[in-house]
Amino acid sequence: MVLDEVGVQSCKIERAHRDGKTVSGRDRHLLVKLSFYQDKVSIMKNARRALATKDYYIVDDLTQTDLKEKRKWMKQVQELYHNDVKLRFSGGLWRSIDGKPYKFE
């Protein structure tokens, strides 16, 4: 099970279901709502490393506002990445590796 792979021994799933219409040759998203926020934090912390060799991944669902903010700076983030500046999107802001909000110019 995926939870074992990301190092979560047990968590309470409130509900889970597939998203979208069935399309031949394409997998559908699986949406999962966890009962406890701390379970989500544990899963998200370990998911990228633990699932690096798998054919699937785990992402956080963003609000429309956060998604808009993330997309707004995507090209600049890609350019920075090629210049060895690593950023991540968390809490509605692009952040540097140390977790401090990054200021775009």
Short mmCIF file of all heavy atoms in Angstrom, two decimals, residues 6-72:
data_model
loop_
_atom_site.label_atom_id
_atom_site.label_comp_id
_atom_site.label_asym_id
_atom_site.label_seq_id
_atom_site.Cartn_x
_atom_site.Cartn_y
_atom_site.Cartn_z
N VAL A 6 5.44 5.43 2.01
CA VAL A 6 5.83 6.77 2.45
C VAL A 6 6.07 6.83 3.95
O VAL A 6 6.24 7.90 4.51
CB VAL A 6 4.82 7.86 2.01
CG1 VAL A 6 4.78 7.99 0.51
CG2 VAL A 6 3.44 7.60 2.57
N GLY A 7 6.09 5.70 4.61
CA GLY A 7 6.47 5.64 6.01
C GLY A 7 5.37 5.95 7.00
O GLY A 7 5.65 6.27 8.15
N VAL A 8 4.12 5.87 6.60
CA VAL A 8 3.00 6.11 7.51
C VAL A 8 2.43 4.75 7.90
O VAL A 8 1.94 4.01 7.06
CB VAL A 8 1.92 6.99 6.86
CG1 VAL A 8 0.72 7.13 7.77
CG2 VAL A 8 2.49 8.34 6.50
N GLN A 9 2.54 4.43 9.17
CA GLN A 9 2.11 3.12 9.64
C GLN A 9 0.59 3.00 9.68
O GLN A 9 0.02 1.99 9.34
CB GLN A 9 2.69 2.83 11.02
CG GLN A 9 4.20 2.94 11.07
CD GLN A 9 4.90 2.11 10.01
OE1 GLN A 9 4.48 1.01 9.69
NE2 GLN A 9 5.97 2.64 9.44
N SER A 10 -0.06 4.05 10.12
CA SER A 10 -1.52 4.03 10.16
C SER A 10 -2.04 5.46 10.09
O SER A 10 -1.43 6.38 10.62
CB SER A 10 -2.02 3.36 11.44
OG SER A 10 -1.67 4.13 12.56
N CYS A 11 -3.13 5.62 9.41
CA CYS A 11 -3.81 6.91 9.39
C CYS A 11 -5.27 6.64 9.08
O CYS A 11 -5.62 5.60 8.54
CB CYS A 11 -3.19 7.87 8.39
SG CYS A 11 -3.54 7.53 6.69
N LYS A 12 -6.10 7.59 9.44
CA LYS A 12 -7.53 7.42 9.23
C LYS A 12 -7.94 8.18 7.97
O LYS A 12 -7.75 9.38 7.87
CB LYS A 12 -8.30 7.93 10.44
CG LYS A 12 -9.77 7.64 10.34
CD LYS A 12 -10.49 7.94 11.64
CE LYS A 12 -11.96 7.60 11.45
NZ LYS A 12 -12.72 7.88 12.64
N ILE A 13 -8.45 7.43 7.00
CA ILE A 13 -8.93 8.02 5.76
C ILE A 13 -10.41 8.29 5.91
O ILE A 13 -11.20 7.39 6.18
CB ILE A 13 -8.66 7.09 4.57
CG1 ILE A 13 -7.15 6.90 4.39
CG2 ILE A 13 -9.30 7.63 3.30
CD1 ILE A 13 -6.77 5.89 3.34
N GLU A 14 -10.79 9.56 5.73
CA GLU A 14 -12.19 9.93 5.85
C GLU A 14 -12.98 9.46 4.64
O GLU A 14 -14.06 8.93 4.75
CB GLU A 14 -12.30 11.45 6.02
CG GLU A 14 -13.59 11.90 6.61
CD GLU A 14 -13.52 13.33 7.06
OE1 GLU A 14 -12.67 13.67 7.88
OE2 GLU A 14 -14.37 14.11 6.57
N ARG A 15 -12.40 9.70 3.45
CA ARG A 15 -13.01 9.18 2.22
C ARG A 15 -11.98 9.20 1.10
O ARG A 15 -11.01 9.94 1.13
CB ARG A 15 -14.25 9.98 1.84
CG ARG A 15 -14.01 11.37 1.37
CD ARG A 15 -15.32 12.02 0.90
NE ARG A 15 -15.10 13.41 0.62
CZ ARG A 15 -15.37 14.40 1.44
NH1 ARG A 15 -15.92 14.16 2.60
NH2 ARG A 15 -15.11 15.64 1.11
N ALA A 16 -12.23 8.39 0.09
CA ALA A 16 -11.35 8.31 -1.08
C ALA A 16 -12.21 7.96 -2.29
O ALA A 16 -13.14 7.17 -2.19
CB ALA A 16 -10.27 7.26 -0.87
N HIS A 17 -11.90 8.58 -3.43
CA HIS A 17 -12.65 8.29 -4.66
C HIS A 17 -11.84 8.70 -5.88
O HIS A 17 -10.90 9.49 -5.78
CB HIS A 17 -14.01 8.99 -4.66
CG HIS A 17 -13.93 10.48 -4.54
ND1 HIS A 17 -13.84 11.29 -5.63
CD2 HIS A 17 -13.91 11.30 -3.46
CE1 HIS A 17 -13.79 12.56 -5.24
NE2 HIS A 17 -13.81 12.59 -3.93
N ARG A 18 -12.20 8.16 -7.02
CA ARG A 18 -11.56 8.51 -8.28
C ARG A 18 -12.17 9.81 -8.81
O ARG A 18 -13.32 10.13 -8.54
CB ARG A 18 -11.77 7.39 -9.30
CG ARG A 18 -11.11 6.11 -8.87
CD ARG A 18 -10.01 5.79 -9.82
NE ARG A 18 -9.33 4.58 -9.41
CZ ARG A 18 -8.02 4.47 -9.41
NH1 ARG A 18 -7.28 5.48 -9.78
NH2 ARG A 18 -7.44 3.35 -9.05
N ASP A 19 -11.38 10.51 -9.62
CA ASP A 19 -11.80 11.79 -10.17
C ASP A 19 -11.85 11.71 -11.69
O ASP A 19 -10.98 11.11 -12.32
CB ASP A 19 -10.81 12.87 -9.73
CG ASP A 19 -11.23 14.26 -10.16
OD1 ASP A 19 -12.44 14.52 -10.21
OD2 ASP A 19 -10.34 15.08 -10.45
N GLY A 20 -12.85 12.31 -12.28
CA GLY A 20 -12.93 12.40 -13.73
C GLY A 20 -13.54 11.18 -14.40
O GLY A 20 -13.86 10.18 -13.77
N LYS A 21 -13.70 11.29 -15.71
CA LYS A 21 -14.27 10.21 -16.50
C LYS A 21 -13.19 9.20 -16.87
O LYS A 21 -12.02 9.53 -16.99
CB LYS A 21 -14.89 10.76 -17.78
CG LYS A 21 -16.06 11.67 -17.55
CD LYS A 21 -16.61 12.17 -18.87
CE LYS A 21 -17.79 13.10 -18.63
NZ LYS A 21 -18.34 13.62 -19.89
N THR A 22 -13.61 7.98 -17.09
CA THR A 22 -12.69 6.94 -17.52
C THR A 22 -12.29 7.19 -18.97
O THR A 22 -13.14 7.39 -19.83
CB THR A 22 -13.35 5.55 -17.41
OG1 THR A 22 -13.78 5.36 -16.07
CG2 THR A 22 -12.40 4.46 -17.81
N VAL A 23 -10.98 7.22 -19.23
CA VAL A 23 -10.44 7.40 -20.57
C VAL A 23 -9.50 6.24 -20.85
O VAL A 23 -8.63 5.94 -20.03
CB VAL A 23 -9.67 8.74 -20.69
CG1 VAL A 23 -9.05 8.89 -22.07
CG2 VAL A 23 -10.58 9.91 -20.38
N SER A 24 -9.69 5.59 -21.97
CA SER A 24 -8.88 4.43 -22.32
C SER A 24 -7.39 4.79 -22.35
O SER A 24 -6.99 5.79 -22.95
CB SER A 24 -9.31 3.91 -23.69
OG SER A 24 -8.52 2.81 -24.05
N GLY A 25 -6.58 3.99 -21.67
CA GLY A 25 -5.14 4.19 -21.65
C GLY A 25 -4.64 5.26 -20.71
O GLY A 25 -3.48 5.65 -20.75
N ARG A 26 -5.51 5.78 -19.87
CA ARG A 26 -5.12 6.85 -18.96
C ARG A 26 -5.68 6.57 -17.57
O ARG A 26 -6.86 6.24 -17.42
CB ARG A 26 -5.64 8.18 -19.48
CG ARG A 26 -5.19 9.36 -18.68
CD ARG A 26 -5.59 10.64 -19.37
NE ARG A 26 -5.16 11.75 -18.56
CZ ARG A 26 -5.68 12.95 -18.62
NH1 ARG A 26 -6.64 13.19 -19.47
NH2 ARG A 26 -5.23 13.91 -17.86
N ASP A 27 -4.83 6.71 -16.56
CA ASP A 27 -5.28 6.51 -15.19
C ASP A 27 -6.00 7.75 -14.67
O ASP A 27 -5.68 8.87 -15.07
CB ASP A 27 -4.08 6.21 -14.28
CG ASP A 27 -3.42 4.90 -14.63
OD1 ASP A 27 -4.13 3.98 -15.05
OD2 ASP A 27 -2.19 4.82 -14.50
N ARG A 28 -6.95 7.54 -13.78
CA ARG A 28 -7.66 8.67 -13.17
C ARG A 28 -7.01 9.03 -11.85
O ARG A 28 -6.38 8.20 -11.20
CB ARG A 28 -9.13 8.31 -12.94
CG ARG A 28 -9.87 8.08 -14.24
CD ARG A 28 -11.35 7.94 -14.03
NE ARG A 28 -11.67 6.77 -13.21
CZ ARG A 28 -12.85 6.58 -12.62
NH1 ARG A 28 -13.80 7.46 -12.76
NH2 ARG A 28 -13.06 5.51 -11.91
N HIS A 29 -7.18 10.27 -11.44
CA HIS A 29 -6.67 10.71 -10.15
C HIS A 29 -7.43 10.02 -9.03
O HIS A 29 -8.63 9.72 -9.17
CB HIS A 29 -6.84 12.22 -9.98
CG HIS A 29 -6.05 13.02 -10.95
ND1 HIS A 29 -6.40 14.28 -11.32
CD2 HIS A 29 -4.92 12.73 -11.63
CE1 HIS A 29 -5.54 14.74 -12.18
NE2 HIS A 29 -4.62 13.82 -12.39
N LEU A 30 -6.77 9.83 -7.93
CA LEU A 30 -7.39 9.31 -6.73
C LEU A 30 -7.34 10.40 -5.68
O LEU A 30 -6.26 10.89 -5.33
CB LEU A 30 -6.65 8.06 -6.24
CG LEU A 30 -7.20 7.40 -4.99
CD1 LEU A 30 -8.60 6.85 -5.26
CD2 LEU A 30 -6.28 6.28 -4.55
N LEU A 31 -8.49 10.85 -5.23
CA LEU A 31 -8.57 11.90 -4.23
C LEU A 31 -8.80 11.26 -2.86
O LEU A 31 -9.67 10.41 -2.71
CB LEU A 31 -9.72 12.87 -4.54
CG LEU A 31 -9.67 13.53 -5.91
CD1 LEU A 31 -10.89 14.40 -6.12
CD2 LEU A 31 -8.39 14.32 -6.07
N VAL A 32 -8.01 11.68 -1.89
CA VAL A 32 -8.08 11.11 -0.55
C VAL A 32 -8.20 12.24 0.46
O VAL A 32 -7.42 13.19 0.44
CB VAL A 32 -6.83 10.26 -0.24
CG1 VAL A 32 -6.89 9.71 1.16
CG2 VAL A 32 -6.67 9.15 -1.26
N LYS A 33 -9.17 12.12 1.36
CA LYS A 33 -9.31 13.07 2.46
C LYS A 33 -8.95 12.35 3.74
O LYS A 33 -9.58 11.34 4.09
CB LYS A 33 -10.72 13.63 2.54
CG LYS A 33 -10.84 14.66 3.65
CD LYS A 33 -12.18 15.33 3.68
CE LYS A 33 -12.18 16.37 4.79
NZ LYS A 33 -13.48 16.99 4.93
N LEU A 34 -7.93 12.86 4.42
CA LEU A 34 -7.49 12.26 5.68
C LEU A 34 -8.20 12.93 6.84
O LEU A 34 -8.53 14.11 6.79
CB LEU A 34 -5.98 12.42 5.82
CG LEU A 34 -5.15 11.79 4.70
CD1 LEU A 34 -3.69 12.18 4.85
CD2 LEU A 34 -5.32 10.29 4.69
N SER A 35 -8.39 12.20 7.92
CA SER A 35 -9.06 12.75 9.09
C SER A 35 -8.18 13.70 9.88
O SER A 35 -8.68 14.61 10.53
CB SER A 35 -9.53 11.61 10.00
OG SER A 35 -10.50 10.84 9.35
N PHE A 36 -6.86 13.49 9.83
CA PHE A 36 -5.97 14.30 10.65
C PHE A 36 -4.91 14.98 9.79
O PHE A 36 -4.24 14.35 8.98
CB PHE A 36 -5.28 13.43 11.71
CG PHE A 36 -6.26 12.78 12.64
CD1 PHE A 36 -6.59 11.44 12.48
CD2 PHE A 36 -6.89 13.50 13.64
CE1 PHE A 36 -7.51 10.84 13.32
CE2 PHE A 36 -7.81 12.91 14.47
CZ PHE A 36 -8.12 11.58 14.32
N TYR A 37 -4.75 16.28 10.01
CA TYR A 37 -3.80 17.08 9.25
C TYR A 37 -2.37 16.56 9.42
O TYR A 37 -1.59 16.54 8.47
CB TYR A 37 -3.88 18.54 9.68
CG TYR A 37 -2.93 19.43 8.94
CD1 TYR A 37 -3.18 19.80 7.63
CD2 TYR A 37 -1.76 19.89 9.55
CE1 TYR A 37 -2.31 20.61 6.93
CE2 TYR A 37 -0.88 20.70 8.86
CZ TYR A 37 -1.16 21.06 7.55
OH TYR A 37 -0.28 21.86 6.87
N GLN A 38 -2.01 16.11 10.60
CA GLN A 38 -0.65 15.62 10.84
C GLN A 38 -0.31 14.41 9.97
O GLN A 38 0.82 14.24 9.55
CB GLN A 38 -0.44 15.29 12.32
CG GLN A 38 1.01 15.08 12.68
CD GLN A 38 1.90 16.27 12.33
OE1 GLN A 38 1.54 17.41 12.53
NE2 GLN A 38 3.05 16.00 11.77
N ASP A 39 -1.30 13.57 9.68
CA ASP A 39 -1.07 12.45 8.76
C ASP A 39 -0.70 12.97 7.37
O ASP A 39 0.21 12.45 6.72
CB ASP A 39 -2.31 11.57 8.66
CG ASP A 39 -2.58 10.77 9.92
OD1 ASP A 39 -1.64 10.57 10.72
OD2 ASP A 39 -3.73 10.35 10.11
N LYS A 40 -1.38 14.01 6.93
CA LYS A 40 -1.10 14.60 5.63
C LYS A 40 0.33 15.16 5.61
O LYS A 40 1.07 14.95 4.65
CB LYS A 40 -2.09 15.72 5.33
CG LYS A 40 -1.78 16.48 4.06
CD LYS A 40 -2.75 17.63 3.88
CE LYS A 40 -2.31 18.52 2.76
NZ LYS A 40 -3.18 19.67 2.59
N VAL A 41 0.72 15.84 6.66
CA VAL A 41 2.06 16.41 6.74
C VAL A 41 3.11 15.32 6.64
O VAL A 41 4.09 15.43 5.90
CB VAL A 41 2.23 17.24 8.04
CG1 VAL A 41 3.68 17.65 8.25
CG2 VAL A 41 1.33 18.46 8.00
N SER A 42 2.92 14.23 7.36
CA SER A 42 3.86 13.11 7.33
C SER A 42 3.97 12.51 5.93
O SER A 42 5.06 12.23 5.44
CB SER A 42 3.44 12.02 8.31
OG SER A 42 3.48 12.49 9.61
N ILE A 43 2.84 12.32 5.30
CA ILE A 43 2.82 11.75 3.95
C ILE A 43 3.52 12.67 2.96
O ILE A 43 4.36 12.24 2.17
CB ILE A 43 1.37 11.47 3.51
CG1 ILE A 43 0.81 10.29 4.32
CG2 ILE A 43 1.30 11.19 2.02
CD1 ILE A 43 -0.69 10.11 4.16
N MET A 44 3.21 13.97 3.01
CA MET A 44 3.79 14.91 2.06
C MET A 44 5.30 15.06 2.26
O MET A 44 6.04 15.23 1.30
CB MET A 44 3.10 16.28 2.18
CG MET A 44 1.62 16.26 1.80
SD MET A 44 1.26 15.60 0.17
CE MET A 44 1.92 16.87 -0.86
N LYS A 45 5.77 14.99 3.49
CA LYS A 45 7.21 15.10 3.76
C LYS A 45 7.98 13.95 3.15
O LYS A 45 9.10 14.12 2.67
CB LYS A 45 7.46 15.12 5.28
CG LYS A 45 7.26 16.46 5.91
CD LYS A 45 7.64 16.40 7.37
CE LYS A 45 7.49 17.74 8.03
NZ LYS A 45 7.86 17.71 9.45
N ASN A 46 7.42 12.77 3.17
CA ASN A 46 8.14 11.57 2.72
C ASN A 46 7.84 11.15 1.29
O ASN A 46 8.57 10.35 0.73
CB ASN A 46 7.79 10.40 3.65
CG ASN A 46 8.21 10.67 5.07
OD1 ASN A 46 9.23 11.29 5.32
ND2 ASN A 46 7.40 10.22 6.01
N ALA A 47 6.80 11.67 0.70
CA ALA A 47 6.31 11.16 -0.59
C ALA A 47 7.30 11.27 -1.74
O ALA A 47 7.52 10.31 -2.47
CB ALA A 47 5.00 11.84 -0.97
N ARG A 48 7.90 12.42 -1.93
CA ARG A 48 8.77 12.62 -3.09
C ARG A 48 9.94 11.64 -3.09
O ARG A 48 10.22 10.98 -4.09
CB ARG A 48 9.29 14.05 -3.14
CG ARG A 48 10.31 14.24 -4.27
CD ARG A 48 10.76 15.65 -4.37
NE ARG A 48 9.96 16.28 -5.39
CZ ARG A 48 10.06 17.53 -5.75
NH1 ARG A 48 10.90 18.31 -5.13
NH2 ARG A 48 9.32 18.02 -6.70
N ARG A 49 10.62 11.52 -1.99
CA ARG A 49 11.77 10.62 -1.89
C ARG A 49 11.34 9.16 -1.98
O ARG A 49 11.92 8.36 -2.71
CB ARG A 49 12.53 10.86 -0.59
CG ARG A 49 13.72 9.97 -0.37
CD ARG A 49 14.41 10.21 0.97
NE ARG A 49 13.54 10.56 2.08
CZ ARG A 49 12.78 9.70 2.77
NH1 ARG A 49 12.79 8.43 2.45
NH2 ARG A 49 12.04 10.09 3.78
N ALA A 50 10.29 8.81 -1.26
CA ALA A 50 9.85 7.41 -1.19
C ALA A 50 9.28 6.91 -2.51
O ALA A 50 9.40 5.73 -2.82
CB ALA A 50 8.82 7.26 -0.08
N LEU A 51 8.69 7.78 -3.29
CA LEU A 51 8.04 7.37 -4.54
C LEU A 51 8.83 7.75 -5.78
O LEU A 51 8.31 7.69 -6.89
CB LEU A 51 6.63 7.96 -4.61
CG LEU A 51 5.70 7.61 -3.45
CD1 LEU A 51 4.37 8.33 -3.59
CD2 LEU A 51 5.49 6.10 -3.35
N ALA A 52 10.08 8.12 -5.62
CA ALA A 52 10.90 8.60 -6.74
C ALA A 52 11.01 7.59 -7.88
O ALA A 52 11.09 7.99 -9.05
CB ALA A 52 12.29 8.98 -6.24
N THR A 53 10.99 6.31 -7.58
CA THR A 53 11.14 5.29 -8.63
C THR A 53 9.80 4.70 -9.09
O THR A 53 9.78 3.78 -9.89
CB THR A 53 12.04 4.15 -8.13
OG1 THR A 53 11.42 3.54 -6.99
CG2 THR A 53 13.42 4.66 -7.76
N LYS A 54 8.71 5.23 -8.58
CA LYS A 54 7.37 4.71 -8.90
C LYS A 54 6.77 5.43 -10.10
O LYS A 54 7.25 6.49 -10.51
CB LYS A 54 6.43 4.85 -7.70
CG LYS A 54 6.94 4.22 -6.43
CD LYS A 54 7.02 2.73 -6.57
CE LYS A 54 7.49 2.12 -5.25
NZ LYS A 54 7.73 0.71 -5.35
N ASP A 55 5.70 4.88 -10.63
CA ASP A 55 5.00 5.49 -11.76
C ASP A 55 3.87 6.43 -11.32
O ASP A 55 3.07 6.85 -12.13
CB ASP A 55 4.39 4.40 -12.65
CG ASP A 55 5.45 3.57 -13.34
OD1 ASP A 55 6.56 4.09 -13.56
OD2 ASP A 55 5.17 2.42 -13.67
N TYR A 56 3.81 6.72 -10.04
CA TYR A 56 2.79 7.61 -9.51
C TYR A 56 3.41 8.53 -8.48
O TYR A 56 4.55 8.34 -8.07
CB TYR A 56 1.63 6.81 -8.90
CG TYR A 56 2.06 5.78 -7.89
CD1 TYR A 56 2.18 6.11 -6.55
CD2 TYR A 56 2.35 4.47 -8.27
CE1 TYR A 56 2.59 5.18 -5.62
CE2 TYR A 56 2.75 3.53 -7.35
CZ TYR A 56 2.87 3.90 -6.03
OH TYR A 56 3.27 2.97 -5.11
N TYR A 57 2.66 9.55 -8.08
CA TYR A 57 3.16 10.53 -7.14
C TYR A 57 2.01 11.09 -6.32
O TYR A 57 0.83 10.85 -6.62
CB TYR A 57 3.91 11.66 -7.87
CG TYR A 57 3.12 12.29 -8.98
CD1 TYR A 57 2.33 13.41 -8.75
CD2 TYR A 57 3.14 11.76 -10.27
CE1 TYR A 57 1.60 13.99 -9.77
CE2 TYR A 57 2.43 12.34 -11.29
CZ TYR A 57 1.66 13.45 -11.04
OH TYR A 57 0.93 14.02 -12.04
N ILE A 58 2.35 11.85 -5.29
CA ILE A 58 1.35 12.48 -4.42
C ILE A 58 1.57 13.98 -4.46
O ILE A 58 2.69 14.46 -4.33
CB ILE A 58 1.50 11.97 -2.97
CG1 ILE A 58 1.25 10.47 -2.91
CG2 ILE A 58 0.54 12.72 -2.04
CD1 ILE A 58 1.52 9.85 -1.55
N VAL A 59 0.49 14.73 -4.66
CA VAL A 59 0.56 16.19 -4.65
C VAL A 59 -0.52 16.73 -3.73
O VAL A 59 -1.53 16.09 -3.48
CB VAL A 59 0.39 16.80 -6.06
CG1 VAL A 59 1.55 16.41 -6.96
CG2 VAL A 59 -0.92 16.40 -6.68
N ASP A 60 -0.27 17.94 -3.24
CA ASP A 60 -1.22 18.63 -2.39
C ASP A 60 -2.23 19.36 -3.28
O ASP A 60 -1.86 19.95 -4.29
CB ASP A 60 -0.47 19.64 -1.52
CG ASP A 60 -1.30 20.19 -0.38
OD1 ASP A 60 -2.43 19.71 -0.17
OD2 ASP A 60 -0.82 21.09 0.30
N ASP A 61 -3.49 19.29 -2.94
CA ASP A 61 -4.52 20.00 -3.68
C ASP A 61 -4.46 21.47 -3.29
O ASP A 61 -4.46 21.80 -2.11
CB ASP A 61 -5.89 19.40 -3.36
CG ASP A 61 -6.95 19.86 -4.34
OD1 ASP A 61 -6.60 20.36 -5.41
OD2 ASP A 61 -8.14 19.71 -4.00
N LEU A 62 -4.38 22.36 -4.27
CA LEU A 62 -4.26 23.79 -4.01
C LEU A 62 -5.59 24.51 -4.20
O LEU A 62 -6.40 24.10 -5.04
CB LEU A 62 -3.23 24.41 -4.95
CG LEU A 62 -1.81 23.86 -4.86
CD1 LEU A 62 -0.94 24.48 -5.95
CD2 LEU A 62 -1.21 24.11 -3.50
N THR A 63 -5.77 25.59 -3.45
CA THR A 63 -6.94 26.44 -3.67
C THR A 63 -6.74 27.17 -4.99
O THR A 63 -5.63 27.24 -5.51
CB THR A 63 -7.10 27.47 -2.53
OG1 THR A 63 -5.96 28.35 -2.56
CG2 THR A 63 -7.20 26.80 -1.17
N GLN A 64 -7.80 27.75 -5.53
CA GLN A 64 -7.70 28.51 -6.78
C GLN A 64 -6.71 29.66 -6.63
O GLN A 64 -5.93 29.95 -7.54
CB GLN A 64 -9.08 29.03 -7.20
CG GLN A 64 -10.01 27.97 -7.73
CD GLN A 64 -9.52 27.40 -9.05
OE1 GLN A 64 -8.86 28.05 -9.84
NE2 GLN A 64 -9.84 26.14 -9.28
N THR A 65 -6.72 30.34 -5.49
CA THR A 65 -5.81 31.46 -5.25
C THR A 65 -4.36 31.00 -5.25
O THR A 65 -3.50 31.61 -5.87
CB THR A 65 -6.15 32.13 -3.90
OG1 THR A 65 -7.51 32.54 -3.91
CG2 THR A 65 -5.26 33.34 -3.66
N ASP A 66 -4.09 29.89 -4.54
CA ASP A 66 -2.73 29.36 -4.49
C ASP A 66 -2.27 28.88 -5.86
O ASP A 66 -1.12 29.10 -6.25
CB ASP A 66 -2.62 28.21 -3.48
CG ASP A 66 -2.64 28.69 -2.05
OD1 ASP A 66 -2.56 29.92 -1.82
OD2 ASP A 66 -2.74 27.83 -1.14
N LEU A 67 -3.15 28.22 -6.59
CA LEU A 67 -2.80 27.73 -7.92
C LEU A 67 -2.46 28.90 -8.85
O LEU A 67 -1.50 28.84 -9.62
CB LEU A 67 -3.95 26.90 -8.50
CG LEU A 67 -3.68 26.18 -9.79
CD1 LEU A 67 -2.50 25.23 -9.67
CD2 LEU A 67 -4.92 25.41 -10.22
N LYS A 68 -3.23 29.97 -8.76
CA LYS A 68 -2.97 31.16 -9.57
C LYS A 68 -1.61 31.76 -9.23
O LYS A 68 -0.83 32.11 -10.11
CB LYS A 68 -4.09 32.19 -9.35
CG LYS A 68 -4.01 33.39 -10.23
CD LYS A 68 -5.22 34.29 -10.01
CE LYS A 68 -5.16 35.52 -10.88
NZ LYS A 68 -6.30 36.40 -10.66
N GLU A 69 -1.30 31.85 -7.94
CA GLU A 69 -0.01 32.39 -7.49
C GLU A 69 1.14 31.49 -7.94
O GLU A 69 2.18 31.97 -8.38
CB GLU A 69 -0.01 32.54 -5.96
CG GLU A 69 1.28 33.10 -5.39
CD GLU A 69 1.53 34.56 -5.75
OE1 GLU A 69 0.60 35.26 -6.18
OE2 GLU A 69 2.69 34.99 -5.60
N LYS A 70 0.97 30.21 -7.85
CA LYS A 70 2.01 29.27 -8.27
C LYS A 70 2.28 29.40 -9.76
O LYS A 70 3.44 29.46 -10.19
CB LYS A 70 1.59 27.84 -7.93
CG LYS A 70 2.65 26.81 -8.25
CD LYS A 70 2.23 25.43 -7.81
CE LYS A 70 3.32 24.42 -8.13
NZ LYS A 70 2.97 23.07 -7.71
N ARG A 71 1.25 29.45 -10.56
CA ARG A 71 1.40 29.56 -12.01
C ARG A 71 1.98 30.91 -12.44
O ARG A 71 2.68 31.01 -13.45
CB ARG A 71 0.06 29.32 -12.70
CG ARG A 71 -0.36 27.88 -12.65
CD ARG A 71 -1.69 27.67 -13.31
NE ARG A 71 -2.04 26.26 -13.35
CZ ARG A 71 -3.25 25.81 -13.55
NH1 ARG A 71 -4.26 26.65 -13.77
NH2 ARG A 71 -3.49 24.51 -13.57
N LYS A 72 1.67 31.95 -11.67
CA LYS A 72 2.12 33.30 -11.99
C LYS A 72 3.65 33.36 -12.11
O LYS A 72 4.18 34.06 -12.96
CB LYS A 72 1.63 34.25 -10.90
CG LYS A 72 2.10 35.67 -11.00
CD LYS A 72 1.52 36.45 -9.84
CE LYS A 72 2.06 37.85 -9.76
NZ LYS A 72 1.52 38.56 -8.59
#
